Amino acid sequence: LVFANTGSLGAAIAVMVVFSLFVQAAEGSTFGIVPYVDPNSTGSIVGIVGSGGNFGAVCFGLGFRNLPTYKDAFVVMGCVIF
């Protein structure tokens, strides 16, 4: 929500960098536990976890395409992630 309401490019980049740090940490913790879920089926579990990211990317891409403005798409993305 903060990113969608920034008034300048510099502020938007700063918010995106900070958000990206937290996203990368969350992704690392998610993939870090994959081998412990079921050691005999690690490949299958990795496939399921990885496909979740692709599904989210497609959904957000459709949001940018079907919502009236990019700001609306960013607000929806912020609400879903939050």
Side-chain angles (χ1 to χ4, degrees):
L1 296 175
V2 175
F3 182 76
N5 294 315
T6 55
S8 68
L9 179 62
I13 290 172
V15 169
M16 188 169 53
V17 166
V18 170
F19 180 72
S20 175
L21 292 173
F22 288 105
V23 169
Q24 296 299 322
E27 289 175 355
S29 66
T30 300
F31 280 104
I33 64 170
V34 166
Y36 302 106
V37 174
D38 186 5
N40 296 328
S41 302
T42 301
S44 299
I45 304 294
V46 168
I48 293 169
V49 171
S51 67
N54 292 334
F55 178 73
V58 169
C59 288
F60 289 139
L62 290 173
F64 281 110
R65 186 174 194 163
N66 295 323
L67 293 172
T69 65
Y70 285 152
K71 183 175 181 176
D72 292 339
F74 281 120
V75 168
V76 168
M77 189 185 309
C79 291
V80 168
I81 292 171
F82 184 68

